[in-house]
Amino acid sequence: MKVVIIGGVAGGATAAARIRRLDEQAEIVVLERSGFISYANCGLPYYIGGVIQDQEELTLQTPQGFWDRFRIDVRVRHEATAIHREEKTVTVKNLETGEVTTESYDKLILAPGARPTRPPIPGLDSDRLFSLRTVEDTLAIRAFVEREKPRTAVLAGGGFISLELAENLAEMGVQVTIVQRIPQVMHNLDYDMATFLHAHLRQKGMTLRLGTAVAGFRQEGKTITTLVEGGADIPADLAILAVGVTPESTLAQEAGLALGVRGSIAVNDWMQTSDPNIYAVGDAVEIPHLVTGQKTLISLAGPANKQGRVAADHLCGRASRYPGAQGSSVIKVCDLTVASTGLNEKSAREAGLAYEKIVLSPMNHAGYYPGGKMMTMKVLYEKGSLRILGAQIVGYEGVDKRIDVLATAMQMGGKVTDLTELDLAYAPPYSSAKDPVNMAGFMAENIEAGLVKQFHWDQVADLPRDGSVTLLDARTPMEYSGGCAQGFVNIPVDELRQRLGEIDPQKPVYVMCQSGLRSYLACRILAQHGYDCYNFSGGYRFYASVMLDQLAAQSAYPCGVER
């Protein structure tokens, strides 16, 4: 059997190595148009910033290494330009010599990946405008930074690559401006969770131009100006275009293979295309979303690796299938760790799902052990079935651990109330006896049992201020004096029982505290005295983050929340 693989990196290189492990006699040829067959995509921004200093550390495997270990014929700087399905051949161009040859195959695997999206705007030919996708891109940006020593940079886009580059450039002393078309960075987060990230980026000295569309670029000498719609243009020494990626499906389309969402390559559970002799894996293919079942694109290394393994298994005669992915991800942004899995609120609504949400702000480990840091968690679950739909966490230490536990529970089909029973490792330096994941389960359990009702940040402005409801802040007077939501009066939870006479039992009571815990306790006290009460989800810290972000976006005030 002869297998030709078009593309390396995660999907293609994984498939090649797996085929060899299953079939010692197979002839395997890998065609890669870049100069590198297997490299650490996710490490590229850190080489630009000097965190990774040796270029060779980016290369996971070399053509010679593939040959020595696997006897796989890897040809870098070779581009497949056409697929001839009836003849089962591929036209190949040697990008070094220009020579064009034909390569036959019994089975073909497409792993072309995705290319940086380049919208139809002027100025994309500027030599001060870069995209980051390959090692060559990385070397070009680093060479530019070392040679030109830019003082200012504009990053068009607010996704993973953009934020990692922003961190690394800022660490080098570059003044960074991030321009994003939608009103937040990281579209996998809900806006309210993204506000913590916005604040952190601003604290690090970065400028955010959110809700701002890039209209083009203009270079004048050593200055590249980012043109924006409806706002002031932004001059800088360097610009990065990172507005997303587009599936590289040209070869598949020209070969007449079926396409899927956004021009991706359609595949079945075995990663076969509409031609059973051709497989496709990685960022170019559509896959089922594990939560919704809908076809989607998830451009992450983990799914690409698994797809490469499944394709290799199937063409070698093994019963292996790819069920889909839920998009679990984690990113370091300066001092913060940001992680998510599954659906956010927007995607849940688009999928037509009825959901409930819970927000909590636990410490990463036992409060009495020194060095604890707070994280903010948001968990979505489906009403009725109680299945977990998604989770988002922003914090410092321990974020990756909790998102992985939640992602595992989701993939195993667990209900949100099952989180209460998870037997998770505990020691004071690492967790609490009731882990934050357990706490999320307890909160959902209380909601479903009717022990507490909730209200959320986007409902606060609509609460009546005419005296028809009671707005109660259950924090300490010192906390309250530092800022509060408009119209909320302060009765600390520890004084609530003896001050019940100050609260009209005929009126609904909306209760807020710093994190949501004391307001929950206040609601339980009130409910057992006959009050109709509602607990604020996430606490004042969560509310203040959203309000401050909105003020910052309006350039109204640098800090402060309405009183």
Side-chain angles (χ1 to χ4, degrees):
M1 178 173 64
K2 181 178 180 180
V3 183
V4 173
I5 301 174
I6 299 175
V9 198
T14 296
R18 177 67 171 173
I19 292 169
R20 175 57 73 227
R21 291 195 295 272
L22 297 175
D23 187 344
E24 183 65 18
Q25 306 307 316
E27 180 183 356
I28 307 170
V29 178
V30 180
L31 306 171
E32 169 58 48
R33 65 184 172 191
S34 78
F36 300 85
I37 182 60
S38 181
Y39 55 89
N41 270 89
C42 300
L44 299 183
Y46 300 99
Y47 178 71
I48 293 170
V51 177
I52 298 173
Q53 298 184 359
D54 188 347
Q55 175 186 329
E56 293 185 359
E57 293 180 0
L58 296 174
T59 304
L60 304 179
Q61 188 58 274
T62 64
Q64 187 61 50
F66 259 95
W67 177 257
D68 292 342
R69 178 162 296 179
F70 299 110
R71 289 300 188 266
I72 293 172
D73 181 6
V74 174
R75 305 174 194 174
V76 296
R77 300 291 294 158
H78 281 66
E79 181 177 12
T81 59
I83 300 169
H84 311 285
R85 292 166 53 193
E86 292 185 1
E87 294 84 5
K88 297 180 75 172
T89 61
V90 176
T91 300
V92 183
K93 182 178 182 179
N94 185 325
L95 299 179
E96 299 286 356
T97 67
E99 180 185 9
V100 176
T101 58
T102 298
E103 196 72 38
S104 64
Y105 66 85
D106 296 310
K107 300 291 183 181
L108 179 66
I109 299 178
L110 304 179
R115 63 183 182 275
T117 300
R118 294 176 69 83
I121 56 177
L124 297 183
D125 57 348
S126 169
D127 60 10
R128 287 180 172 264
L129 176 66
F130 298 86
S131 293
L132 180 58
R133 187 67 179 172
T134 67
V135 174
E136 286 88 348
D137 296 334
T138 306
L139 300 180
I141 297 173
R142 177 156 171 169
F144 178 90
V145 170
E146 291 177 343
R147 181 180 69 252
E148 301 291 334
K149 296 179 172 52
R151 293 175 297 175
T152 55
V154 172
L155 280 70
F160 290 93
I161 289 294
S162 180
L163 294 181
E164 289 171 341
L165 262 177
E167 172 187 351
N168 281 276
L169 290 171
E171 288 291 330
M172 299 168 68
V174 178
Q175 178 62 49
V176 171
T177 298
I178 299 173
V179 183
Q180 174 78 325
R181 181 179 56 82
I182 61 176
Q184 67 174 82
V185 298
M186 297 199 71
H187 68 85
N188 55 306
L189 298 180
D190 286 316
Y191 165 71
D192 49 18
M193 295 295 289
T195 61
F196 292 98
L197 184 51
H198 296 168
H200 190 67
L201 292 169
R202 292 183 178 114
Q203 289 168 5
K204 292 296 181 179
M206 300 183 208
T207 299
L208 304 184
R209 295 280 294 271
L210 305 176
T212 302
V214 173
F217 300 91
R218 182 181 66 244
Q219 184 172 340
E220 297 170 324
K222 292 190 174 183
T223 299
I224 180 169
T225 299
T226 301
L227 312 176
V228 300
E229 296 179 1
D233 298 336
I234 312 168
D237 303 319
L238 165 69
I240 305 291
L241 185 63
V243 294
V245 295
T246 301
E248 185 57 271
S249 57
T250 304
L251 266 181
Q253 183 177 16
E254 293 176 347
L257 299 176
L259 300 182
V261 295
R262 290 172 48 196
S264 59
I265 305 171
V267 294
N268 61 20
D269 289 354
W270 302 283
M271 307 312 298
Q272 284 176 305
T273 68
S274 53
D275 183 329
N277 292 310
I278 302 178
Y279 296 74
V281 300
D283 294 353
V285 306
E286 69 169 13
I287 60 173
H289 196 288
L290 281 177
V291 180
T292 66
Q294 299 171 350
K295 297 293 186 179
T296 189
L297 288 169
I298 296 180
S299 299
L300 295 169
N305 274 283
K306 296 179 182 72
Q307 293 158 22
R309 181 183 177 92
V310 168
D313 279 359
H314 190 263
L315 67 84
C316 288
R318 294 180 60 84
S320 185
R321 59 180 295 273
Y322 184 70
Q326 57 197 39
S328 301
S329 66
V330 65
I331 181 175
K332 173 186 177 296
V333 183
C334 301
D335 302 325
L336 279 182
T337 299
V338 182
S340 70
T341 188
L343 305 181
N344 58 20
E345 289 196 64
K346 179 183 177 181
S347 53
R349 287 192 296 267
E350 289 175 345
L353 296 171
Y355 65 89
E356 184 61 87
K357 57 186 175 183
I358 50 178
V359 180
L360 60 159
S361 297
M363 300 289 283
N364 66 300
H365 61 57
Y368 60 83
Y369 188 87
K373 295 182 179 180
M374 189 173 290
M375 65 180 74
T376 299
M377 298 174 57
K378 183 176 187 178
V379 179
L380 273 61
Y381 64 92
E382 187 175 31
K383 292 182 179 179
S385 74
L386 304 187
R387 68 174 176 136
I388 307 169
L389 299 176
Q392 303 157 54
I393 311 178
V394 179
Y396 300 90
E397 299 173 7
V399 168
D400 55 337
K401 169 183 174 179
R402 274 68 187 210
I403 204 69
D404 283 344
V405 172
L406 289 163
T408 302
M410 284 178 61
Q411 194 156 348
M412 296 297 104
K415 298 180 179 180
V416 68
T417 48
D418 293 334
L419 300 178
T420 64
E421 301 300 329
L422 292 182
D423 188 5
L424 303 175
Y426 159 62
Y430 302 106
S431 183
S432 299
K434 292 185 288 190
D435 188 85
V437 174
N438 298 135
M439 291 302 301
F442 293 140
M443 290 175 65
E445 192 175 66
N446 286 336
I447 292 170
E448 293 305 312
L451 294 177
V452 66
K453 294 182 286 189
Q454 299 188 104
F455 69 109
H456 304 284
W457 71 266
D458 52 356
Q459 298 172 302
V460 173
D462 294 331
L463 292 175
R465 266 74 176 181
D466 59 0
S468 59
V469 301
T470 299
L471 306 179
L472 179 65
D473 190 314
R475 295 176 297 161
T476 66
M478 181 176 294
E479 290 173 312
Y480 180 77
S481 67
C484 66
Q486 182 183 20
F488 279 70
V489 296
N490 182 222
I491 299 180
V493 65
D494 292 341
E495 301 176 13
L496 183 58
R497 289 181 179 87
Q498 56 265 40
R499 296 177 63 179
L500 286 174
E502 300 176 29
I503 306 172
D504 188 339
Q506 304 303 314
K507 299 177 181 178
V509 184
Y510 292 83
V511 192
M512 184 182 292
C513 74
Q514 193 71 8
S515 68
L517 174 59
R518 284 173 290 174
S519 52
Y520 163 68
L521 298 176
C523 281
R524 291 304 304 141
I525 294 170
L526 291 166
Q528 293 178 81
H529 283 83
Y531 291 84
D532 179 24
C533 54
Y534 299 81
N535 182 35
F536 181 72
S537 173
Y540 179 78
R541 175 178 175 271
F542 191 71
Y543 173 76
S545 179
V546 177
M547 295 300 105
L548 289 171
D549 188 76
Q550 293 181 351
L551 289 174
Q554 299 165 6
S555 299
Y557 305 97
C559 60
V561 179
E562 60 180 8
R563 291 302 307 269

